[in-house]
Amino acid sequence: MSQNQGRSGESTHETKFPRGLVIRLFAYLIAGHIFAAFLYLLFTVGK
């Protein structure tokens, strides 16, 4: 058995992202799209 494996044979390395990171990434993506839509709105109204 290698050092990276536990008793059940599964890797002890975390395969999922931390919950806070996922929430922050989702919030940044939503905020970025809202900001991009706002800029698009400004350019379309300014024509």
Side-chain angles (χ1 to χ4, degrees):
M1 193 181 291
S2 70
Q3 292 178 337
N4 292 346
Q5 293 180 344
R7 294 181 198 193
S8 63
E10 294 180 15
S11 175
T12 56
H13 181 262
E14 187 73 25
T15 57
K16 295 168 100 177
F17 287 111
R19 185 179 177 119
L21 180 64
V22 172
I23 293 172
R24 204 174 332 145
L25 180 62
F26 185 72
Y28 287 156
L29 284 173
I30 295 298
H33 281 86
I34 290 172
F35 182 67
F38 177 68
L39 286 179
Y40 178 76
L41 178 70
L42 287 179
F43 278 102
T44 54
V45 169
K47 281 188 176 181

mmCIF file of all heavy atoms in Angstrom:
data_model
loop_
_atom_site.group_PDB
_atom_site.id
_atom_site.type_symbol
_atom_site.label_atom_id
_atom_site.label_comp_id
_atom_site.label_asym_id
_atom_site.label_seq_id
_atom_site.Cartn_x
_atom_site.Cartn_y
_atom_site.Cartn_z
ATOM 1 N N MET A 1 0.856 -1.189 0.000
ATOM 2 C CA MET A 1 0.000 0.000 0.000
ATOM 3 C C MET A 1 0.890 1.236 0.000
ATOM 4 O O MET A 1 1.820 1.346 0.770
ATOM 5 C CB MET A 1 -0.895 -0.022 1.246
ATOM 6 C CG MET A 1 -2.022 0.985 1.163
ATOM 7 S SD MET A 1 -3.076 1.009 2.611
ATOM 8 C CE MET A 1 -3.893 -0.537 2.505
ATOM 9 N N SER A 2 0.590 2.194 -0.872
ATOM 10 C CA SER A 2 1.419 3.387 -0.945
ATOM 11 C C SER A 2 1.055 4.356 0.176
ATOM 12 O O SER A 2 0.052 4.205 0.848
ATOM 13 C CB SER A 2 1.256 4.069 -2.304
ATOM 14 O OG SER A 2 -0.021 4.640 -2.405
ATOM 15 N N GLN A 3 1.863 5.373 0.336
ATOM 16 C CA GLN A 3 1.631 6.336 1.414
ATOM 17 C C GLN A 3 0.433 7.225 1.145
ATOM 18 O O GLN A 3 -0.131 7.797 2.055
ATOM 19 C CB GLN A 3 2.870 7.205 1.588
ATOM 20 C CG GLN A 3 4.049 6.451 2.131
ATOM 21 C CD GLN A 3 5.272 7.339 2.253
ATOM 22 O OE1 GLN A 3 5.373 8.347 1.575
ATOM 23 N NE2 GLN A 3 6.191 6.951 3.122
ATOM 24 N N ASN A 4 0.014 7.393 -0.113
ATOM 25 C CA ASN A 4 -1.085 8.282 -0.444
ATOM 26 C C ASN A 4 -2.453 7.640 -0.256
ATOM 27 O O ASN A 4 -3.462 8.293 -0.419
ATOM 28 C CB ASN A 4 -0.967 8.757 -1.903
ATOM 29 C CG ASN A 4 0.222 9.670 -2.095
ATOM 30 O OD1 ASN A 4 0.788 10.134 -1.113
ATOM 31 N ND2 ASN A 4 0.600 9.905 -3.320
ATOM 32 N N GLN A 5 -2.506 6.342 0.047
ATOM 33 C CA GLN A 5 -3.788 5.669 0.147
ATOM 34 C C GLN A 5 -4.117 5.355 1.598
ATOM 35 O O GLN A 5 -3.251 5.063 2.398
ATOM 36 C CB GLN A 5 -3.770 4.374 -0.661
ATOM 37 C CG GLN A 5 -3.668 4.631 -2.154
ATOM 38 C CD GLN A 5 -3.651 3.332 -2.931
ATOM 39 O OE1 GLN A 5 -3.424 2.277 -2.353
ATOM 40 N NE2 GLN A 5 -3.883 3.415 -4.219
ATOM 41 N N GLY A 6 -5.415 5.413 1.889
ATOM 42 C CA GLY A 6 -5.878 5.087 3.221
ATOM 43 C C GLY A 6 -6.143 3.595 3.334
ATOM 44 O O GLY A 6 -5.743 2.799 2.497
ATOM 45 N N ARG A 7 -6.847 3.186 4.383
ATOM 46 C CA ARG A 7 -7.129 1.772 4.605
ATOM 47 C C ARG A 7 -8.069 1.186 3.558
ATOM 48 O O ARG A 7 -7.947 0.038 3.191
ATOM 49 C CB ARG A 7 -7.740 1.578 5.987
ATOM 50 C CG ARG A 7 -6.782 1.915 7.087
ATOM 51 C CD ARG A 7 -7.413 1.691 8.415
ATOM 52 N NE ARG A 7 -6.661 2.407 9.435
ATOM 53 C CZ ARG A 7 -6.824 2.215 10.710
ATOM 54 N NH1 ARG A 7 -7.709 1.368 11.158
ATOM 55 N NH2 ARG A 7 -6.106 2.886 11.564
ATOM 56 N N SER A 8 -9.020 1.972 3.085
ATOM 57 C CA SER A 8 -9.988 1.458 2.122
ATOM 58 C C SER A 8 -9.442 1.484 0.696
ATOM 59 O O SER A 8 -10.144 1.092 -0.223
ATOM 60 C CB SER A 8 -11.284 2.276 2.193
ATOM 61 O OG SER A 8 -11.032 3.616 1.836
ATOM 62 N N GLY A 9 -8.235 1.950 0.498
ATOM 63 C CA GLY A 9 -7.651 1.999 -0.825
ATOM 64 C C GLY A 9 -7.941 3.294 -1.551
ATOM 65 O O GLY A 9 -7.464 3.499 -2.656
ATOM 66 N N GLU A 10 -8.736 4.170 -0.957
ATOM 67 C CA GLU A 10 -9.048 5.445 -1.589
ATOM 68 C C GLU A 10 -7.946 6.448 -1.289
ATOM 69 O O GLU A 10 -7.306 6.380 -0.253
ATOM 70 C CB GLU A 10 -10.383 5.990 -1.065
ATOM 71 C CG GLU A 10 -11.572 5.153 -1.458
ATOM 72 C CD GLU A 10 -12.860 5.735 -0.914
ATOM 73 O OE1 GLU A 10 -12.844 6.903 -0.492
ATOM 74 O OE2 GLU A 10 -13.861 5.017 -0.919
ATOM 75 N N SER A 11 -7.765 7.372 -2.197
ATOM 76 C CA SER A 11 -6.770 8.417 -2.003
ATOM 77 C C SER A 11 -7.218 9.355 -0.894
ATOM 78 O O SER A 11 -8.396 9.681 -0.790
ATOM 79 C CB SER A 11 -6.574 9.187 -3.305
ATOM 80 O OG SER A 11 -5.699 10.262 -3.103
ATOM 81 N N THR A 12 -6.288 9.775 -0.068
ATOM 82 C CA THR A 12 -6.632 10.720 0.995
ATOM 83 C C THR A 12 -6.656 12.144 0.472
ATOM 84 O O THR A 12 -7.045 13.058 1.180
ATOM 85 C CB THR A 12 -5.618 10.621 2.149
ATOM 86 O OG1 THR A 12 -4.315 10.836 1.612
ATOM 87 C CG2 THR A 12 -5.692 9.271 2.822
ATOM 88 N N HIS A 13 -6.238 12.339 -0.784
ATOM 89 C CA HIS A 13 -6.253 13.677 -1.393
ATOM 90 C C HIS A 13 -7.701 14.091 -1.636
ATOM 91 O O HIS A 13 -8.500 13.312 -2.130
ATOM 92 C CB HIS A 13 -5.474 13.659 -2.710
ATOM 93 C CG HIS A 13 -5.429 14.992 -3.373
ATOM 94 N ND1 HIS A 13 -6.292 15.330 -4.382
ATOM 95 C CD2 HIS A 13 -4.644 16.073 -3.169
ATOM 96 C CE1 HIS A 13 -6.041 16.560 -4.767
ATOM 97 N NE2 HIS A 13 -5.027 17.030 -4.040
ATOM 98 N N GLU A 14 -8.005 15.318 -1.288
ATOM 99 C CA GLU A 14 -9.363 15.849 -1.473
ATOM 100 C C GLU A 14 -9.634 16.030 -2.963
ATOM 101 O O GLU A 14 -8.906 16.729 -3.647
ATOM 102 C CB GLU A 14 -9.486 17.190 -0.747
ATOM 103 C CG GLU A 14 -10.882 17.752 -0.715
ATOM 104 C CD GLU A 14 -11.801 17.021 0.238
ATOM 105 O OE1 GLU A 14 -11.289 16.416 1.197
ATOM 106 O OE2 GLU A 14 -13.018 17.059 0.009
ATOM 107 N N THR A 15 -10.692 15.399 -3.471
ATOM 108 C CA THR A 15 -10.998 15.491 -4.896
ATOM 109 C C THR A 15 -12.034 16.564 -5.184
ATOM 110 O O THR A 15 -12.180 16.980 -6.318
ATOM 111 C CB THR A 15 -11.520 14.141 -5.419
ATOM 112 O OG1 THR A 15 -12.671 13.759 -4.662
ATOM 113 C CG2 THR A 15 -10.449 13.081 -5.318
ATOM 114 N N LYS A 16 -12.749 17.026 -4.174
ATOM 115 C CA LYS A 16 -13.748 18.071 -4.370
ATOM 116 C C LYS A 16 -13.161 19.426 -3.996
ATOM 117 O O LYS A 16 -12.274 19.517 -3.166
ATOM 118 C CB LYS A 16 -14.976 17.809 -3.489
ATOM 119 C CG LYS A 16 -15.727 16.545 -3.864
ATOM 120 C CD LYS A 16 -16.715 16.201 -2.799
ATOM 121 C CE LYS A 16 -18.095 16.643 -3.214
ATOM 122 N NZ LYS A 16 -19.107 16.266 -2.227
ATOM 123 N N PHE A 17 -13.686 20.471 -4.635
ATOM 124 C CA PHE A 17 -13.264 21.819 -4.272
ATOM 125 C C PHE A 17 -13.872 22.186 -2.921
ATOM 126 O O PHE A 17 -14.970 21.739 -2.601
ATOM 127 C CB PHE A 17 -13.739 22.835 -5.313
ATOM 128 C CG PHE A 17 -12.980 22.764 -6.600
ATOM 129 C CD1 PHE A 17 -13.588 22.299 -7.746
ATOM 130 C CD2 PHE A 17 -11.662 23.177 -6.665
ATOM 131 C CE1 PHE A 17 -12.897 22.239 -8.935
ATOM 132 C CE2 PHE A 17 -10.961 23.125 -7.850
ATOM 133 C CZ PHE A 17 -11.579 22.649 -8.986
ATOM 134 N N PRO A 18 -13.202 23.023 -2.148
ATOM 135 C CA PRO A 18 -13.808 23.506 -0.903
ATOM 136 C C PRO A 18 -15.090 24.275 -1.206
ATOM 137 O O PRO A 18 -15.196 24.960 -2.234
ATOM 138 C CB PRO A 18 -12.747 24.439 -0.329
ATOM 139 C CG PRO A 18 -11.477 24.039 -0.973
ATOM 140 C CD PRO A 18 -11.840 23.504 -2.318
ATOM 141 N N ARG A 19 -16.068 24.152 -0.331
ATOM 142 C CA ARG A 19 -17.376 24.759 -0.566
ATOM 143 C C ARG A 19 -17.292 26.275 -0.718
ATOM 144 O O ARG A 19 -17.942 26.860 -1.572
ATOM 145 C CB ARG A 19 -18.315 24.389 0.589
ATOM 146 C CG ARG A 19 -19.714 24.856 0.373
ATOM 147 C CD ARG A 19 -20.601 24.446 1.520
ATOM 148 N NE ARG A 19 -21.925 24.959 1.313
ATOM 149 C CZ ARG A 19 -22.984 24.202 1.202
ATOM 150 N NH1 ARG A 19 -22.862 22.908 1.281
ATOM 151 N NH2 ARG A 19 -24.165 24.738 1.011
ATOM 152 N N GLY A 20 -16.462 26.930 0.088
ATOM 153 C CA GLY A 20 -16.321 28.378 -0.002
ATOM 154 C C GLY A 20 -15.767 28.821 -1.341
ATOM 155 O O GLY A 20 -16.165 29.847 -1.883
ATOM 156 N N LEU A 21 -14.840 28.035 -1.886
ATOM 157 C CA LEU A 21 -14.260 28.360 -3.185
ATOM 158 C C LEU A 21 -15.303 28.256 -4.288
ATOM 159 O O LEU A 21 -15.370 29.103 -5.178
ATOM 160 C CB LEU A 21 -13.084 27.433 -3.482
ATOM 161 C CG LEU A 21 -12.371 27.638 -4.809
ATOM 162 C CD1 LEU A 21 -11.730 29.011 -4.850
ATOM 163 C CD2 LEU A 21 -11.347 26.558 -5.027
ATOM 164 N N VAL A 22 -16.142 27.238 -4.225
ATOM 165 C CA VAL A 22 -17.186 27.055 -5.230
ATOM 166 C C VAL A 22 -18.188 28.198 -5.168
ATOM 167 O O VAL A 22 -18.563 28.762 -6.201
ATOM 168 C CB VAL A 22 -17.893 25.692 -5.037
ATOM 169 C CG1 VAL A 22 -19.103 25.576 -5.947
ATOM 170 C CG2 VAL A 22 -16.926 24.560 -5.298
ATOM 171 N N ILE A 23 -18.584 28.591 -3.967
ATOM 172 C CA ILE A 23 -19.542 29.689 -3.801
ATOM 173 C C ILE A 23 -18.943 30.994 -4.302
ATOM 174 O O ILE A 23 -19.595 31.767 -5.008
ATOM 175 C CB ILE A 23 -19.985 29.798 -2.327
ATOM 176 C CG1 ILE A 23 -20.791 28.566 -1.945
ATOM 177 C CG2 ILE A 23 -20.774 31.078 -2.086
ATOM 178 C CD1 ILE A 23 -21.108 28.472 -0.473
ATOM 179 N N ARG A 24 -17.676 31.243 -3.970
ATOM 180 C CA ARG A 24 -17.011 32.466 -4.408
ATOM 181 C C ARG A 24 -16.861 32.503 -5.927
ATOM 182 O O ARG A 24 -17.098 33.526 -6.564
ATOM 183 C CB ARG A 24 -15.637 32.565 -3.757
ATOM 184 C CG ARG A 24 -15.115 33.963 -3.666
ATOM 185 C CD ARG A 24 -13.819 34.052 -2.891
ATOM 186 N NE ARG A 24 -13.686 32.994 -1.902
ATOM 187 C CZ ARG A 24 -12.533 32.424 -1.590
ATOM 188 N NH1 ARG A 24 -11.425 32.805 -2.144
ATOM 189 N NH2 ARG A 24 -12.483 31.466 -0.685
ATOM 190 N N LEU A 25 -16.478 31.374 -6.520
ATOM 191 C CA LEU A 25 -16.344 31.297 -7.972
ATOM 192 C C LEU A 25 -17.684 31.537 -8.655
ATOM 193 O O LEU A 25 -17.775 32.276 -9.637
ATOM 194 C CB LEU A 25 -15.789 29.919 -8.359
ATOM 195 C CG LEU A 25 -15.580 29.653 -9.840
ATOM 196 C CD1 LEU A 25 -14.548 30.623 -10.404
ATOM 197 C CD2 LEU A 25 -15.143 28.229 -10.055
ATOM 198 N N PHE A 26 -18.742 30.940 -8.134
ATOM 199 C CA PHE A 26 -20.079 31.138 -8.686
ATOM 200 C C PHE A 26 -20.502 32.598 -8.569
ATOM 201 O O PHE A 26 -21.025 33.178 -9.526
ATOM 202 C CB PHE A 26 -21.075 30.228 -7.947
ATOM 203 C CG PHE A 26 -22.462 30.274 -8.508
ATOM 204 C CD1 PHE A 26 -22.744 29.691 -9.730
ATOM 205 C CD2 PHE A 26 -23.482 30.893 -7.810
ATOM 206 C CE1 PHE A 26 -24.026 29.733 -10.246
ATOM 207 C CE2 PHE A 26 -24.767 30.940 -8.316
ATOM 208 C CZ PHE A 26 -25.042 30.354 -9.541
ATOM 209 N N ALA A 27 -20.240 33.216 -7.431
ATOM 210 C CA ALA A 27 -20.604 34.620 -7.226
ATOM 211 C C ALA A 27 -19.823 35.520 -8.179
ATOM 212 O O ALA A 27 -20.391 36.461 -8.754
ATOM 213 C CB ALA A 27 -20.336 35.026 -5.777
ATOM 214 N N TYR A 28 -18.524 35.254 -8.376
ATOM 215 C CA TYR A 28 -17.729 36.054 -9.296
ATOM 216 C C TYR A 28 -18.211 35.896 -10.733
ATOM 217 O O TYR A 28 -18.231 36.861 -11.496
ATOM 218 C CB TYR A 28 -16.248 35.691 -9.206
ATOM 219 C CG TYR A 28 -15.556 36.170 -7.948
ATOM 220 C CD1 TYR A 28 -14.417 35.541 -7.486
ATOM 221 C CD2 TYR A 28 -16.045 37.250 -7.231
ATOM 222 C CE1 TYR A 28 -13.771 35.973 -6.344
ATOM 223 C CE2 TYR A 28 -15.407 37.692 -6.089
ATOM 224 C CZ TYR A 28 -14.271 37.050 -5.646
ATOM 225 O OH TYR A 28 -13.634 37.485 -4.522
ATOM 226 N N LEU A 29 -18.600 34.694 -11.113
ATOM 227 C CA LEU A 29 -19.110 34.469 -12.463
ATOM 228 C C LEU A 29 -20.415 35.222 -12.681
ATOM 229 O O LEU A 29 -20.607 35.865 -13.719
ATOM 230 C CB LEU A 29 -19.316 32.974 -12.714
ATOM 231 C CG LEU A 29 -18.049 32.169 -12.973
ATOM 232 C CD1 LEU A 29 -18.374 30.687 -13.040
ATOM 233 C CD2 LEU A 29 -17.391 32.617 -14.252
ATOM 234 N N ILE A 30 -21.310 35.163 -11.718
ATOM 235 C CA ILE A 30 -22.584 35.878 -11.828
ATOM 236 C C ILE A 30 -22.328 37.387 -11.863
ATOM 237 O O ILE A 30 -22.874 38.101 -12.702
ATOM 238 C CB ILE A 30 -23.520 35.508 -10.657
ATOM 239 C CG1 ILE A 30 -23.894 34.022 -10.733
ATOM 240 C CG2 ILE A 30 -24.757 36.371 -10.652
ATOM 241 C CD1 ILE A 30 -24.638 33.627 -11.972
ATOM 242 N N ALA A 31 -21.492 37.884 -10.967
ATOM 243 C CA ALA A 31 -21.194 39.317 -10.928
ATOM 244 C C ALA A 31 -20.515 39.763 -12.224
ATOM 245 O O ALA A 31 -20.815 40.844 -12.740
ATOM 246 C CB ALA A 31 -20.309 39.637 -9.730
ATOM 247 N N GLY A 32 -19.630 38.954 -12.757
ATOM 248 C CA GLY A 32 -18.958 39.292 -14.008
ATOM 249 C C GLY A 32 -19.928 39.369 -15.175
ATOM 250 O O GLY A 32 -19.828 40.260 -16.021
ATOM 251 N N HIS A 33 -20.882 38.451 -15.219
ATOM 252 C CA HIS A 33 -21.869 38.486 -16.293
ATOM 253 C C HIS A 33 -22.817 39.677 -16.149
ATOM 254 O O HIS A 33 -23.213 40.282 -17.151
ATOM 255 C CB HIS A 33 -22.660 37.176 -16.329
ATOM 256 C CG HIS A 33 -21.920 36.071 -16.996
ATOM 257 N ND1 HIS A 33 -21.034 35.271 -16.325
ATOM 258 C CD2 HIS A 33 -21.921 35.652 -18.284
ATOM 259 C CE1 HIS A 33 -20.532 34.397 -17.182
ATOM 260 N NE2 HIS A 33 -21.052 34.610 -18.380
ATOM 261 N N ILE A 34 -23.165 40.006 -14.930
ATOM 262 C CA ILE A 34 -24.030 41.177 -14.703
ATOM 263 C C ILE A 34 -23.288 42.450 -15.118
ATOM 264 O O ILE A 34 -23.858 43.336 -15.776
ATOM 265 C CB ILE A 34 -24.495 41.247 -13.236
ATOM 266 C CG1 ILE A 34 -25.485 40.111 -12.958
ATOM 267 C CG2 ILE A 34 -25.112 42.596 -12.912
ATOM 268 C CD1 ILE A 34 -25.870 39.962 -11.512
ATOM 269 N N PHE A 35 -22.018 42.543 -14.775
ATOM 270 C CA PHE A 35 -21.216 43.705 -15.156
ATOM 271 C C PHE A 35 -21.077 43.798 -16.677
ATOM 272 O O PHE A 35 -21.192 44.879 -17.258
ATOM 273 C CB PHE A 35 -19.838 43.630 -14.484
ATOM 274 C CG PHE A 35 -18.965 44.803 -14.780
ATOM 275 C CD1 PHE A 35 -19.276 46.059 -14.305
ATOM 276 C CD2 PHE A 35 -17.817 44.645 -15.552
ATOM 277 C CE1 PHE A 35 -18.462 47.151 -14.578
ATOM 278 C CE2 PHE A 35 -16.997 45.726 -15.832
ATOM 279 C CZ PHE A 35 -17.329 46.981 -15.352
ATOM 280 N N ALA A 36 -20.836 42.656 -17.323
ATOM 281 C CA ALA A 36 -20.723 42.650 -18.781
ATOM 282 C C ALA A 36 -22.044 43.050 -19.436
ATOM 283 O O ALA A 36 -22.055 43.791 -20.423
ATOM 284 C CB ALA A 36 -20.286 41.265 -19.265
ATOM 285 N N ALA A 37 -23.162 42.589 -18.884
ATOM 286 C CA ALA A 37 -24.476 42.973 -19.425
ATOM 287 C C ALA A 37 -24.722 44.465 -19.245
ATOM 288 O O ALA A 37 -25.292 45.125 -20.122
ATOM 289 C CB ALA A 37 -25.573 42.164 -18.735
ATOM 290 N N PHE A 38 -24.278 45.013 -18.118
ATOM 291 C CA PHE A 38 -24.420 46.449 -17.872
ATOM 292 C C PHE A 38 -23.602 47.253 -18.884
ATOM 293 O O PHE A 38 -24.082 48.248 -19.438
ATOM 294 C CB PHE A 38 -23.992 46.771 -16.437
ATOM 295 C CG PHE A 38 -24.046 48.236 -16.110
ATOM 296 C CD1 PHE A 38 -25.257 48.895 -16.028
ATOM 297 C CD2 PHE A 38 -22.882 48.945 -15.883
ATOM 298 C CE1 PHE A 38 -25.311 50.253 -15.726
ATOM 299 C CE2 PHE A 38 -22.919 50.297 -15.580
ATOM 300 C CZ PHE A 38 -24.147 50.950 -15.506
ATOM 301 N N LEU A 39 -22.365 46.831 -19.135
ATOM 302 C CA LEU A 39 -21.549 47.518 -20.133
ATOM 303 C C LEU A 39 -22.169 47.413 -21.525
ATOM 304 O O LEU A 39 -22.193 48.379 -22.285
ATOM 305 C CB LEU A 39 -20.131 46.937 -20.157
ATOM 306 C CG LEU A 39 -19.228 47.307 -18.988
ATOM 307 C CD1 LEU A 39 -17.878 46.627 -19.146
ATOM 308 C CD2 LEU A 39 -19.059 48.808 -18.889
ATOM 309 N N TYR A 40 -22.691 46.256 -21.855
ATOM 310 C CA TYR A 40 -23.348 46.070 -23.145
ATOM 311 C C TYR A 40 -24.559 47.003 -23.262
ATOM 312 O O TYR A 40 -24.778 47.621 -24.295
ATOM 313 C CB TYR A 40 -23.769 44.604 -23.295
ATOM 314 C CG TYR A 40 -24.496 44.322 -24.584
ATOM 315 C CD1 TYR A 40 -23.789 44.229 -25.782
ATOM 316 C CD2 TYR A 40 -25.870 44.156 -24.602
ATOM 317 C CE1 TYR A 40 -24.446 43.973 -26.971
ATOM 318 C CE2 TYR A 40 -26.542 43.910 -25.789
ATOM 319 C CZ TYR A 40 -25.823 43.810 -26.966
ATOM 320 O OH TYR A 40 -26.475 43.566 -28.135
ATOM 321 N N LEU A 41 -25.316 47.105 -22.180
ATOM 322 C CA LEU A 41 -26.473 48.007 -22.157
ATOM 323 C C LEU A 41 -26.032 49.454 -22.370
ATOM 324 O O LEU A 41 -26.663 50.200 -23.145
ATOM 325 C CB LEU A 41 -27.223 47.864 -20.838
ATOM 326 C CG LEU A 41 -28.433 48.768 -20.653
ATOM 327 C CD1 LEU A 41 -29.556 48.333 -21.583
ATOM 328 C CD2 LEU A 41 -28.899 48.738 -19.212
ATOM 329 N N LEU A 42 -24.959 49.870 -21.729
ATOM 330 C CA LEU A 42 -24.457 51.234 -21.899
ATOM 331 C C LEU A 42 -24.055 51.513 -23.344
ATOM 332 O O LEU A 42 -24.346 52.576 -23.892
ATOM 333 C CB LEU A 42 -23.268 51.485 -20.965
ATOM 334 C CG LEU A 42 -23.574 51.643 -19.487
ATOM 335 C CD1 LEU A 42 -22.277 51.863 -18.720
ATOM 336 C CD2 LEU A 42 -24.528 52.777 -19.235
ATOM 337 N N PHE A 43 -23.377 50.541 -23.963
ATOM 338 C CA PHE A 43 -22.955 50.735 -25.349
ATOM 339 C C PHE A 43 -24.130 50.748 -26.299
ATOM 340 O O PHE A 43 -24.148 51.496 -27.275
ATOM 341 C CB PHE A 43 -21.941 49.670 -25.756
ATOM 342 C CG PHE A 43 -20.536 49.987 -25.317
ATOM 343 C CD1 PHE A 43 -19.989 49.362 -24.219
ATOM 344 C CD2 PHE A 43 -19.782 50.918 -26.004
ATOM 345 C CE1 PHE A 43 -18.694 49.654 -23.814
ATOM 346 C CE2 PHE A 43 -18.487 51.220 -25.609
ATOM 347 C CZ PHE A 43 -17.945 50.588 -24.517
ATOM 348 N N THR A 44 -25.124 49.912 -26.068
ATOM 349 C CA THR A 44 -26.277 49.894 -26.968
ATOM 350 C C THR A 44 -27.141 51.138 -26.804
ATOM 351 O O THR A 44 -27.662 51.666 -27.789
ATOM 352 C CB THR A 44 -27.144 48.635 -26.749
ATOM 353 O OG1 THR A 44 -27.503 48.541 -25.384
ATOM 354 C CG2 THR A 44 -26.394 47.390 -27.169
ATOM 355 N N VAL A 45 -27.280 51.645 -25.596
ATOM 356 C CA VAL A 45 -28.057 52.869 -25.368
ATOM 357 C C VAL A 45 -27.285 54.074 -25.909
ATOM 358 O O VAL A 45 -27.883 55.029 -26.426
ATOM 359 C CB VAL A 45 -28.379 53.031 -23.861
ATOM 360 C CG1 VAL A 45 -28.947 54.401 -23.561
ATOM 361 C CG2 VAL A 45 -29.340 51.944 -23.423
ATOM 362 N N GLY A 46 -25.965 54.054 -25.860
ATOM 363 C CA GLY A 46 -25.151 55.174 -26.280
ATOM 364 C C GLY A 46 -25.016 55.334 -27.777
ATOM 365 O O GLY A 46 -24.468 56.337 -28.240
ATOM 366 N N LYS A 47 -25.508 54.408 -28.552
ATOM 367 C CA LYS A 47 -25.392 54.517 -30.012
ATOM 368 C C LYS A 47 -26.282 55.593 -30.567
ATOM 369 O O LYS A 47 -27.343 55.860 -30.187
ATOM 370 C CB LYS A 47 -25.744 53.190 -30.673
ATOM 371 C CG LYS A 47 -24.600 52.218 -30.605
ATOM 372 C CD LYS A 47 -24.914 51.001 -31.430
ATOM 373 C CE LYS A 47 -23.738 50.061 -31.445
ATOM 374 N NZ LYS A 47 -23.985 48.894 -32.250
#
